[in-house]
Amino acid sequence: MVRLIDPSLKKLSFALSEMGTLDIKIMSLATESFVVGTNTSSEALKISDMISKKYFEVGNLTFEILLKYQPVAQDFRFTRSSIEISYDFLRFGRYAYDITLIRDSFGDLRRCVRTHLNDSFVLVERMVKDAILSFATLNLDKARHIQEQEAMVDIIYRERMLSLINSKDTKCAMAEALVLRYLERIADHALFMSDSVNYIITGEHRGRPPIRKV
């Protein structure tokens, strides 16, 4: 039986799904920009703007659902969490766009790419895809796995930032530091998103990590 709230929830889910699709595209552009050396910032900006518009669309939809239907239980948790998740999607897009701007500022940086940096891009892209899939399917196991992945990103980030202090290649060191910082922030938002999925399913938050100082 179709409830009055169902069409609006479906519309909200679709808007979030579109944001997820756009985020996967812009993450690919970020990787291509730094690892392959392609200038992708113009295309990334367009996608980032599209994600921003979707963010406001989700905000309006959640407000409408809460006002018109006063959802309870899981419907309420889903609607409330959609606001947080749409913000995580927004930050995915913004940080990915920021990575493409590094190439604009520093030029072709392919000579700076090392195995650990490739690994970071692969890991964070996988985290974004897993976060999107865990939300789309409300998969609790996949959401919990993101916490392990985020811990790996943190380890790489801390170790590389310390080693870059002594680097003699200033250009590569600065570029890599920026990339690692943006990737670390994307990973954090994937973790936040997994916590929102946990809340939708269980009604409880695992708790978000404290703000780290570098």
Side-chain angles (χ1 to χ4, degrees):
M1 180 179 177
V2 178
R3 303 170 302 164
L4 290 175
I5 195 175
D6 286 340
S8 294
L9 289 174
K10 185 176 181 179
K11 189 175 181 181
L12 177 59
S13 295
F14 183 73
L16 289 164
S17 176
E18 288 183 313
M19 290 185 79
T21 299
L22 291 169
D23 276 315
I24 291 174
K25 288 181 180 179
I26 199 170
M27 278 300 302
S28 178
L29 290 174
T31 302
E32 184 180 346
S33 172
F34 201 85
V35 176
V36 182
T38 308
N39 189 337
T40 61
S41 60
S42 295
E43 188 177 353
L45 176 59
K46 291 177 183 177
I47 295 176
S48 180
D49 287 343
M50 291 169 67
I51 294 170
S52 295
K53 290 178 182 177
K54 286 293 175 184
Y55 170 72
F56 291 113
E57 180 183 334
V58 167
N60 290 334
L61 284 169
T62 55
F63 180 76
E64 177 185 325
I65 290 171
L66 292 171
L67 191 63
K68 289 178 67 175
Y69 303 108
Q70 298 181 336
V72 295
Q74 191 171 31
D75 289 337
F76 172 78
R77 296 198 298 270
F78 177 84
T79 305
R80 177 196 166 195
S81 297
S82 293
I83 300 172
E84 297 172 350
I85 288 171
S86 66
Y87 181 72
D88 293 327
F89 279 147
L90 181 71
R91 300 318 297 166
F92 287 159
R94 180 64 208 190
Y95 289 128
Y97 170 58
D98 286 339
I99 290 173
T100 69
L101 292 179
I102 295 172
R103 187 203 174 283
D104 284 2
S105 299
F106 290 82
D108 191 339
L109 294 162
R110 280 175 292 177
R111 70 178 179 84
C112 304
V113 178
R114 301 291 183 269
T115 300
H116 60 270
L117 201 52
N118 269 322
D119 291 345
S120 295
F121 270 106
V122 171
L123 178 56
V124 172
E125 278 196 81
R126 188 187 308 132
M127 285 184 69
V128 170
K129 291 177 181 177
D130 284 349
I132 292 168
L133 184 60
S134 70
F135 172 63
T137 59
L138 293 182
N139 186 318
L140 193 56
D141 289 336
K142 190 169 286 294
R144 287 171 175 166
H145 180 57
I146 291 171
Q147 188 168 11
E148 300 171 13
Q149 295 172 309
E150 195 267 346
M152 293 172 61
V153 173
D154 273 355
I155 290 171
I156 295 172
Y157 176 70
R158 287 195 297 268
E159 289 180 350
R160 285 304 300 166
M161 290 297 283
L162 288 173
S163 66
L164 289 173
I165 293 173
N166 300 316
S167 175
K168 295 180 181 179
D169 190 333
T170 304
K171 180 178 178 179
C172 283
M174 289 180 64
E176 184 180 335
L178 286 170
V179 169
L180 288 171
R181 180 56 176 163
Y182 292 140
L183 289 176
E184 190 265 347
R185 292 303 297 138
I186 291 170
D188 276 351
H189 280 281
L191 180 64
F192 299 161
M193 192 168 168
S194 73
D195 182 61
S196 294
V197 172
N198 190 84
Y199 171 71
I200 292 171
I201 298 170
T202 68
E204 297 179 354
H205 285 288
R206 288 197 314 268
R208 298 190 173 193
I211 296 174
R212 290 179 291 275
K213 295 182 179 180
V214 179

